[in-house]
Amino acid sequence: MTVVTERETRAVRRTPPPGRPRRKISRESAAAWILVLPFVLLFLAFTAGPVLGSLGMSFTDIKQRDLRTPFAVNGVGFGNYVKAFQDETFRKAAFNTAYFVVLGVPLTLVVALAAAVLLDRGVKRFQALFKVGYYLPVVTSIVAIAVIWRFVLAPDSGLLNTVLGWVGIDGPNWLASKTWAMPSLIAMAVWRNFGSAMIIFLAGLQGIPQSVEEAGQIDGAGSWQRFRYLIMPLLRPTILFTSVTTGIGYLQFFEEPFVMTQGGPLNSTISVSMYTYNQFGFGNYGLATAMAYILFVVIAVITFIQFRLLREK
């Protein structure tokens, strides 16, 4: 009777079955891993690492003074998240952000689509000139835009109130009014941002075959019917993309109130991003990162809902 030792049994397990080649890392695979390795290391060091670090920070009571004594930081669980929702100013900032998104995103998309249709069908001769003109505010510094809009919205000698005065209307102090400050910032944001969505809509319109409209004309459909029932369904992927990107940008509403109103008057234009920035400035790092993650979750949920709604239709 032959006795098989444990060492011989392990050797048999490591031996590949007959006919199956031993797995080896090829030179091409090794070269690929070596080429990818710097990107992986940089991604872990400057993207994944800070994201996970800030997520962990949101569950602590870390403040600016604790940076020199990190071992004094205590875990607070979901305390920062609860504190954020109990903060009246944070709730006001969340309301202002929702107000800005609900009015600003549809207005921006409607203006962008209208401009794209006009450029595609009506103003073909100077199309390039108009595209540059409409897109220019997107790449213009927010400081220069603020100077222009302060001139337009100035209470006494501003362009808008002067025009309203010609028809007998006494215009308000737009940026100092709790009622009119947010609509003023929305108008400014629409003017500044519709150019980028317009370029995408124009590309989508020019990608639709001319034969689609010709088929509608043969069937007796009018201009609005062809646009509503033929063009709009084919533009759905473009609408999905622009609505998602515009919505994400508007949920991070920051530059307009920071430059124009500093969140005033009486926090009527303060946004979640701006309040989070203020908390970082005050040194409340744990609370500020919790607010940032609340905004991240809201953006993720709204984006998911947009994908579901537009895909199902």
Side-chain angles (χ1 to χ4, degrees):
M1 182 177 180
T2 304
V3 178
V4 180
T5 64
E6 184 178 353
R7 180 179 298 177
E8 291 171 341
T9 304
R10 290 178 180 174
V12 170
R13 288 176 180 173
R14 287 197 295 266
T15 304
R20 179 183 298 180
R22 187 185 293 274
R23 178 177 297 178
K24 294 182 179 179
I25 299 177
S26 65
R27 289 185 178 181
E28 290 80 6
S29 299
W33 279 109
I34 291 173
L35 291 174
V36 170
L37 188 59
F39 167 76
V40 174
L41 293 177
L42 289 173
F43 175 78
L44 292 175
F46 296 105
T47 302
V51 169
L52 294 176
S54 63
L55 179 62
M57 190 185 294
S58 69
F59 295 105
T60 68
D61 62 351
I62 184 170
K63 296 183 183 301
Q64 188 176 19
R65 64 173 182 270
D66 298 324
L67 294 178
R68 295 181 179 178
T69 56
F71 293 105
V73 176
N74 299 311
V76 294
F78 288 93
N80 287 326
Y81 293 88
V82 175
K83 189 176 180 180
F85 284 112
Q86 292 175 340
D87 188 334
E88 185 178 350
T89 306
F90 180 78
R91 294 200 299 271
K92 178 66 176 174
F95 173 79
N96 290 338
T97 304
Y99 179 14
F100 182 77
V101 171
V102 169
L103 284 184
V105 173
L107 275 175
T108 302
L109 296 183
V110 168
V111 173
L113 182 58
V117 171
L118 286 175
L119 287 179
D120 185 52
R121 300 185 178 182
V123 200
K124 291 191 176 181
R125 187 173 181 182
F126 301 104
Q127 194 179 84
L129 180 63
F130 279 100
K131 278 197 288 187
V132 172
Y134 291 148
Y135 193 75
L136 199 57
V138 179
V139 294
T140 303
S141 165
I142 183 66
V143 177
I145 290 175
V147 171
I148 296 171
W149 278 83
R150 281 186 184 281
F151 164 70
V152 173
L153 300 173
D156 298 325
S157 57
L159 178 63
L160 183 56
N161 280 355
T162 301
V163 173
L164 291 176
W166 292 344
V167 292
I169 298 176
D170 189 14
N173 189 348
W174 299 94
L175 295 176
S177 165
K178 288 179 63 178
T179 304
W180 292 106
M182 183 60 81
S184 302
L185 295 185
I186 291 174
M188 174 181 164
V190 171
W191 175 81
R192 183 188 177 206
N193 296 304
F194 87 90
S196 57
M198 178 205 68
I199 294 293
I200 299 170
F201 277 131
L202 186 60
L205 287 170
Q206 293 178 346
I208 297 174
Q210 189 66 28
S211 58
V212 174
E213 285 220 44
E214 292 173 355
Q217 288 175 341
I218 292 172
D219 290 340
S223 300
W224 170 248
Q225 289 175 318
R226 294 199 301 273
F227 182 77
R228 171 68 180 84
Y229 298 106
L230 295 177
I231 304 301
M232 286 293 285
L234 294 175
L235 272 181
R236 186 169 299 134
T238 309
I239 295 172
L240 173 63
F241 177 78
T242 51
S243 63
V244 168
T245 53
T246 306
I248 290 174
Y250 278 26
L251 281 167
Q252 301 175 58
F253 178 44
F254 176 79
E255 292 177 327
E256 288 83 359
F258 184 77
V259 174
M260 296 291 289
T261 62
Q262 288 292 310
L266 299 176
N267 291 329
S268 61
T269 59
I270 194 170
S271 65
V272 173
S273 295
M274 188 176 174
Y275 192 52
T276 302
Y277 173 83
N278 291 342
Q279 290 301 322
F280 270 110
F282 297 150
N284 300 323
Y285 294 162
L287 180 60
T289 51
M291 291 176 178
Y293 273 95
I294 290 172
L295 181 60
F296 166 75
V297 171
V298 170
I299 290 174
V301 170
I302 291 177
T303 304
F304 175 76
I305 293 173
Q306 284 177 305
F307 270 97
R308 293 287 298 180
L309 289 177
L310 289 175
R311 273 188 176 181
E312 287 177 357
K313 290 180 179 179

